[in-house]
Amino acid sequence: MRRIALLSLAHDRGKLVASLAGVAFAATLVVGQIGLYVGFLESSSAVVRHAGGDVWVMARGTAVVDNGERLSAGSRAIVASHPCVARVRALVMAFLPLRKPDGSLEAVQVVGYEPVADPVLPWSLARGLPQDLHGPGRVAIDGLDVRKLQIGAEPLGAVLTVGTEEVYVAAVTRGIRAFTLAPYVFAEIDTARRLARMGGDQAYFWLADLARPECRDDVIAAVKRHGDLDAHAREEFRRMTENYWVAGSGAGTALGFSALLGLVVGAVIVGQTLYAVTKEHLRELATLKAIGATPGEVVSFVTWQAAVLACVGGGLGFLFAYLLATGTAGVGLVIVLSPTVLLIGAGAVLTMCTVAAIWSIRAVLTLEAAEVFR
Amino acid sequence: MSDVLVRASDVEKTYGSGELAVPVLKRISLEVRAGALVLLMGPSGSGKTTLVSVLAGLLRPTAGHVELCGARISELSESKVAAVRRRHLGFVFQSYNLFPALSALDNVAEVLRMKGFAPREAEQRAADALDRVGLGDRRTHRPGELSGGQKQRVAIARALAGDPALIFGDEVTAALDTRTALKVMELLRAQVTPGRAILIVTHDRRLEQYADHVIGLEDGSVVESKRSAPDAAQAGAMT
Ligand SMILES: Nc1ncnc2c1ncn2[C@@H]1O[C@H](COP(=O)(O)OP(=O)(O)OP(=O)(O)O)[C@@H](O)[C@H]1O
Ligand SMILES: [Mg+2]
């Protein structure tokens, strides 16, 4: 039956091409949207994921990494005093105005960190090395923001006015773009504090590296005993941040909706083709039934075709999604095609083709063998 | 298996029910024995197609019994009846019912594969069957590249290839011109063997010359059942 099914499907080139295009379109849309969603999640929490620290300490009520508040000087000592805390690092996440050459203002987010051997920040550099940010007044901006910040052809050495301070670009990051679209300005902690006009012992977050991971909950509880402080495990804070931006902004719903729309359109196109091919062959299928084909055999006429459309069309769709992801990376749109994303995409395409096959399967199952003589 | 390949006993068939009931077959009893070509004749609407569908196990009778190749099919489940058809029957239709995407060889071979033959054997038998109907040189042609008579011969090859005990045909010559129709009947006539019978539905009187037995149907009842001596010159003759 496989041969009959596949030859019959291939017999009408036009229909075959149309339905392959339908499946590919749906697969591209679904995988693209899911990948975009995961990309949003990842870019919204990129700093949390890359800055390390087992426990993040912050002002009480902080819901997201981008909306922290300055912590008092004494709070670092509180965190460090717990016997399980091996190291405390300061992190600054401050929105500051940047005056562009044409005089207009742009909000940038200054990320200030204490340089350590592990983890290294910024985590992805296109030009320069992390060491290039040692020394006062040195910052890194992203290659994707060069135009937005009205920097000339050569970003290295360009002078930026952040707040009232002047700094210069000593390195360029690659593809580090915030979900908020405010350009990141990476700087070592002293420079960041100077830009944000903070004291030498202040920070927005304290990142505590623990001697033993088991004492994490204990450290969190100890910090929380101080009324103005909050603490979360890094993973937990990553989730909070992602939820805040992606779920809270409705971006997830919008992307999910267009993915669903893609599936529906794809299902209709595939369903139409399968049904048309099946309908054209009802006499022959009835003949097979008369000769004694089992219901399973006549159904496999449809399922082989659906399977081929799903696999070939889906494969093409994944290829398009891959090309789309590589194409959009250059303009800062992150489409993540992780194995999980591809797996969900494959499941969606398979479900779509199964749903599309239902009408045809019904048609062949209810087909009366006696119809052959009509 | 006894000599009788299909036996109908007091078979009735009514389409629909209540006010809309249409009684089509009325207490029909008949037998088809091996070694015969039987014609089922009668005017349009007399119930020929309905009767052949019931005899072949494609329709269930409303009353009465049908015994097909040794099985009381009127008492068997749908799948068991299908198994009987698969083992013992071949079909030929007015409109050929060939898969347009498949070559002549594949149209025959795929049915054999479905019947459980290994792919190689199916292909071999299909090639033999096409040779027997005189289409050895048209194996790779698709139905669209064949004439009506050739298509019907592919269909006959498909029916024959599984070596069935009984072949049913409904108006198999209706779409063909006289010359081709008679050739197709000659071909079918030549497929009757001591162990095989062929039952053909038609209202074409000219086909009587090929029949061993003619059953006349009128308004759902058998009105005549006569032996007929097939023309010796025609019987067995084949180009
Ligand atoms: N599925 C059905 N439902 C209701 N009535 C039917 C159905 N099939 C056939 N009939 C009726 O049964 C009667 C016999 O039909 P059948 O097709 O068996 O006749 P036939 O002898 O084969 O005619 P023809 O020579 O025109 O093919 C007709 O009156 C037809 O209208
Ligand atoms: Mg009829």
Side-chain angles (χ1 to χ4, degrees):
Chain A
M1 189 52 93
R2 191 186 69 213
R3 212 177 144 76
I4 299 180
L6 301 190
L7 286 173
S8 297
L9 179 65
H11 193 57
D12 191 334
R13 289 289 144 76
K15 279 201 191 93
L16 177 64
V17 168
S19 42
L20 282 179
V23 180
F25 167 76
T28 309
L29 213 58
V30 170
V31 171
Q33 303 284 358
I34 300 173
L36 204 58
Y37 181 73
V38 175
F40 277 175
L41 288 181
E42 291 195 352
S43 69
S44 73
S45 64
V47 171
V48 182
R49 282 182 298 115
H50 287 99
D54 299 307
V55 172
W56 282 52
V57 178
M58 60 203 73
R60 176 157 303 273
T62 304
V64 51
V65 70
D66 305 277
N67 292 351
E69 206 195 312
R70 294 168 192 221
L71 298 173
S72 64
S75 53
R76 178 174 199 144
I78 293 172
V79 180
S81 70
H82 194 287
C84 189
V85 172
R87 181 172 77 175
V88 178
R89 288 175 291 138
L91 185 74
V92 167
M93 292 287 284
F95 283 101
L96 294 171
L98 177 142
R99 179 78 62 189
K100 291 193 277 192
D102 70 358
S104 62
L105 284 174
E106 181 79 51
V108 297
Q109 193 170 18
V110 173
V111 182
Y113 57 91
E114 292 182 25
V116 290
D118 178 40
V120 174
L121 291 175
W123 57 90
S124 168
L125 284 174
R127 303 186 60 190
L129 295 169
Q131 297 87 285
D132 295 335
L133 297 174
H134 282 329
R138 301 178 177 204
V139 299
I141 57 159
D142 198 85
L144 295 166
D145 294 323
V146 166
R147 177 122 34 101
K148 189 176 190 179
L149 299 179
Q150 297 174 3
I151 296 167
E154 176 49 67
L156 287 184
V159 173
L160 304 176
T161 311
V162 179
T164 55
E165 303 280 339
E166 289 203 334
V167 289
Y168 71 93
V169 177
V172 177
T173 60
R174 186 201 305 278
I176 303 182
R177 190 177 248 195
F179 187 74
T180 62
L181 291 181
Y184 279 133
V185 174
F186 283 89
E188 289 191 354
I189 190 74
D190 295 335
T191 303
R193 280 175 175 146
R194 188 163 62 81
L195 292 176
R197 303 186 168 283
M198 296 168 70
D201 41 12
Q202 281 189 304
Y204 279 65
F205 297 93
W206 299 117
L207 314 189
D209 297 308
L210 304 182
R212 286 168 289 115
E214 313 85 76
C215 58
R216 194 182 67 193
D217 292 344
D218 194 46
V219 172
I220 292 173
V223 171
K224 281 185 165 178
R225 273 197 286 278
H226 296 267
D228 51 347
L229 293 181
D230 223 339
H232 298 286
R234 187 181 69 231
E235 270 304 289
E236 162 78 6
F237 193 48
R238 174 186 66 78
R239 254 196 308 280
M240 288 165 62
T241 298
E242 290 175 353
N243 276 341
Y244 181 89
W245 284 121
V246 183
S249 67
T253 320
L255 290 173
F257 184 70
S258 29
L260 198 71
L261 216 62
L263 279 180
V264 171
V265 171
V268 170
I269 298 176
V270 175
Q272 287 263 347
T273 304
L274 286 178
Y275 194 64
V277 173
T278 305
K279 254 194 110 107
E280 266 167 33
H281 292 86
L282 282 182
R283 288 201 76 80
E284 289 80 44
L285 291 171
T287 304
L288 294 185
K289 269 195 162 180
I291 294 168
T294 61
E297 280 166 332
V298 285
V299 165
S300 75
F301 177 81
V302 180
T303 48
W304 272 112
Q305 296 180 351
V308 164
L309 290 178
C311 293
V312 178
L316 280 174
F318 283 16
L319 184 70
F320 293 153
Y322 172 77
L323 296 177
L324 198 68
T326 5
T328 53
V331 297
L333 202 58
V334 183
I335 298 177
V336 177
L337 298 182
S338 63
T340 319
V341 172
L342 293 180
L343 211 68
I344 296 174
V349 169
L350 230 60
T351 311
M352 178 186 85
C353 288
T354 308
V355 169
I358 286 176
W359 294 282
S360 304
I361 289 175
R362 264 181 54 102
V364 297
L365 280 182
T366 53
L367 181 64
E368 293 286 344
E371 290 294 314
V372 284
F373 286 134
R374 293 278 152 225
Chain B
M1 201 187 299
S2 91
D3 204 25
V4 176
L5 293 178
V6 61
R7 173 183 289 128
S9 320
D10 296 327
V11 162
E12 297 185 10
K13 178 70 189 177
T14 301
Y15 287 112
S17 58
E19 295 267 301
L20 299 171
V22 183
V24 174
L25 300 182
K26 299 159 190 168
R27 293 181 69 88
I28 288 186
S29 298
L30 59 79
E31 294 183 348
V32 175
R33 289 176 181 274
L37 193 153
V38 179
L39 284 190
L40 184 58
M41 306 197 64
S44 183
S46 55
K48 303 183 297 294
T49 298
T50 305
L51 178 57
V52 79
S53 301
V54 169
L55 294 179
L58 301 173
L59 275 184
R60 268 183 200 287
T62 315
H65 292 292
V66 177
E67 206 179 303
L68 181 64
C69 300
R72 288 269 265 192
I73 57 166
S74 41
E75 284 157 19
L76 293 181
S77 70
E78 203 68 52
S79 61
K80 291 235 169 74
V81 177
V84 172
R85 292 200 303 265
R86 195 182 183 107
R87 248 190 88 194
H88 299 294
L89 304 192
F91 291 94
V92 185
F93 310 96
Q94 176 177 344
S95 51
Y96 325 123
N97 299 3
L98 300 170
F99 281 95
L102 271 56
S103 65
L105 187 76
D106 274 337
N107 261 295
V108 180
E110 283 303 319
V111 165
L112 290 174
R113 262 173 227 173
M114 215 187 67
K115 289 194 174 199
F117 288 94
R120 294 207 139 264
E121 201 193 341
E123 215 157 286
Q124 190 52 55
R125 276 176 167 259
D128 291 347
L130 286 176
D131 284 343
R132 261 188 286 160
V133 300
L135 286 178
D137 56 345
R138 293 285 192 279
R139 287 176 195 176
T140 58
H141 290 230
R142 297 210 188 118
E145 301 157 349
L146 296 172
S147 71
Q150 288 171 330
K151 277 188 265 210
Q152 197 57 298
R153 284 199 264 166
V154 174
I156 291 170
R158 174 173 68 182
L160 280 177
D163 198 15
L166 200 51
I167 295 176
F168 288 100
D170 192 0
E171 305 286 7
V172 297
T173 57
L176 305 173
D177 63 74
T178 307
R179 229 175 71 91
T180 315
L182 297 184
K183 281 208 153 150
V184 162
M185 279 312 289
E186 269 169 34
L187 178 60
L188 282 170
R189 173 74 238 172
Q191 308 311 320
V192 176
T193 61
R196 176 185 294 149
I198 300 182
L199 178 76
I200 303 287
V201 167
T202 186
H203 46 233
D204 186 349
R205 286 268 158 206
R206 285 171 306 171
L207 304 189
E208 276 190 35
Q209 58 182 313
Y210 300 96
D212 299 295
H213 201 112
V214 176
I215 297 171
L217 206 61
E218 225 163 87
D219 198 19
S221 302
V222 175
V223 291
E224 79 172 319
S225 178
K226 65 174 185 199
R227 297 194 70 79
S228 147
D231 186 327
Q234 299 281 6
M238 224 202 86
T239 46

